[in-house]
Amino acid sequence: TCLKKCLDMLTLRSKNKLNNIVKHSLIAGAFLLLVIFGAKIDLDLGGSVSFTLQTLFLGLAYYYLPIRWRFLLIIVYLGLGIVGLAVFNGGLGWAYFSSWPMGFFVGFVVTAFVYRPMGNRFLPVLGYFVQVHLIITLIGVMWIAYYLGSFSKGLETLVDILPGAVLKSFAGAGVILLAKKL
């Protein structure tokens, strides 16, 4: 009877693990599509930098996924773009990836390791989205300044990106809180 209980427990653990894999695969796949779609939504706010919903959807994905799945999601996304599928906002392939947006892509990977807040109160959730956008923005802007050899171009890009990052941070926190109420 002890052996049977142990086997039943192992079977239950295996089923739970499989259920988690299926659940996270579906969530990651849905968010991968949203990140791709978000990269294609290009709102013209008058700046020199595209305003897309890509980082909003990425922040939401990272909020809902465990770290291992976040990393897998972003590696798949970047890999699709590197091999030439049109998943990025402004180009495709290795040549585009390794040019001016590379810093933003590195920021996407780094933010996969940002811990989500324990509670679902507005300020901690907003702080989480601010961290995500701040990391992506700062790494991206530093890369642009290096890539173009112009500190002023980096600052100009930062000024263009900041309002969108703030808006998307508030939007992300709002979506999380709204989803919790449903």
Side-chain angles (χ1 to χ4, degrees):
T1 59
C2 182
L3 180 61
K4 185 180 178 333
K5 285 182 182 180
C6 288
L7 287 174
D8 287 345
M9 215 162 66
L10 286 173
T11 304
L12 183 61
R13 283 186 189 161
S14 295
K15 285 181 183 178
N16 285 339
K17 191 172 185 176
L18 181 61
N19 286 342
N20 278 339
I21 289 171
V22 169
K23 177 180 93 172
H24 290 120
S25 295
L26 292 172
I27 292 170
F31 274 116
L32 176 62
L33 293 175
L34 283 172
V35 169
I36 293 168
F37 180 67
K40 301 301 180 183
I41 298 173
D42 195 348
L43 306 171
D44 184 7
L45 299 181
S48 62
V49 178
S50 297
F51 178 85
T52 68
L53 299 181
Q54 181 178 31
T55 58
L56 171 62
F57 291 137
L58 192 64
L60 289 168
Y62 288 176
Y63 185 86
Y64 285 110
L65 289 169
I67 288 176
R68 193 178 300 166
W69 285 91
R70 297 173 184 183
F71 187 69
L72 180 63
L73 167 85
I74 200 58
I75 294 304
V76 168
Y77 171 72
L78 295 174
L80 290 172
I82 289 169
V83 299
L85 294 175
V87 297
F88 300 145
N89 172 267
L92 50 96
W94 177 254
Y96 177 75
F97 174 85
S98 62
S99 66
W100 69 268
M102 184 176 193
F104 295 103
F105 296 140
V106 169
F108 292 175
V109 174
V110 171
T111 56
F113 298 100
V114 172
Y115 286 100
R116 64 176 254 197
M118 295 304 273
N120 292 315
R121 292 185 336 271
F122 181 73
L123 284 179
V125 174
L126 177 62
Y128 165 80
F129 280 95
V130 167
Q131 282 181 3
V132 166
H133 285 99
L134 189 63
I135 291 168
I136 293 169
T137 300
L138 289 178
I139 295 173
V141 165
M142 288 188 310
W143 177 257
I144 284 176
Y146 169 77
Y147 183 78
L148 298 176
S150 171
F151 180 75
S152 62
K153 199 64 169 159
L155 283 177
E156 185 180 309
T157 303
L158 179 63
V159 168
D160 283 347
I161 289 176
L162 231 55
V166 170
L167 285 172
K168 289 185 277 186
S169 294
F170 275 97
V175 167
I176 295 298
L177 295 178
L178 185 63
K180 292 294 176 189
K181 289 184 180 184
L182 298 178

